[in-house]
Amino acid sequence: MKKGYWMAMVDITDPENYPRYVAANKAAFDKYGAKFLVRGGQGEVLEGPKATRLVIIEFESYQTALDCFHSPEYQAALKLREAASTAHMAVVEGI
């Protein structure tokens, strides 16, 4: 089975409140077995919209990645992220 990935480029607009999102998303990520491959750190956007945070998260499967995003746990956390940042995000199947 191919793995699923979240790929996100996030521009944090409210750094004081963004940590609330990070704390809140833990419930969904633990439940769906998320594994962070990239979570912040040094990075440079070479084309497209700016991003202050780059993230790649691995899941057991594409469906699991989608299920995590649509879960009540993540949807609650997402409201906090939307209040503290803007993002470009995709869910993709690995090779």
Side-chain angles (χ1 to χ4, degrees), residues 41-54:
Q42 186 173 340
E44 185 174 342
V45 177
L46 301 175
E47 292 186 39
K50 68 178 181 170
T52 53
R53 188 172 183 85
L54 303 171

Side-chain angles (χ1 to χ4, degrees), residues 19-67:
R20 293 177 60 215
Y21 161 70
V22 173
N25 67 31
K26 184 176 179 355
F29 292 156
D30 286 350
K31 180 177 179 179
Y32 290 91
K35 178 181 176 185
F36 283 87
L37 303 179
V38 175
R39 190 176 199 179
Q42 186 173 340
E44 185 174 342
V45 177
L46 301 175
E47 292 186 39
K50 68 178 181 170
T52 53
R53 188 172 183 85
L54 303 171
V55 180
I56 300 173
I57 308 171
E58 181 181 78
F59 293 87
E60 177 182 290
S61 69
Y62 177 75
Q63 188 59 54
T64 303
L66 288 174
D67 291 346

Side-chain angles (χ1 to χ4, degrees), residues 6 17-25 29 74 77-78 80-81:
W6 286 17
N17 284 308
Y18 191 81
R20 293 177 60 215
Y21 161 70
V22 173
N25 67 31
F29 292 156
Y74 186 74
L78 178 60
L80 297 171
R81 189 200 43 80

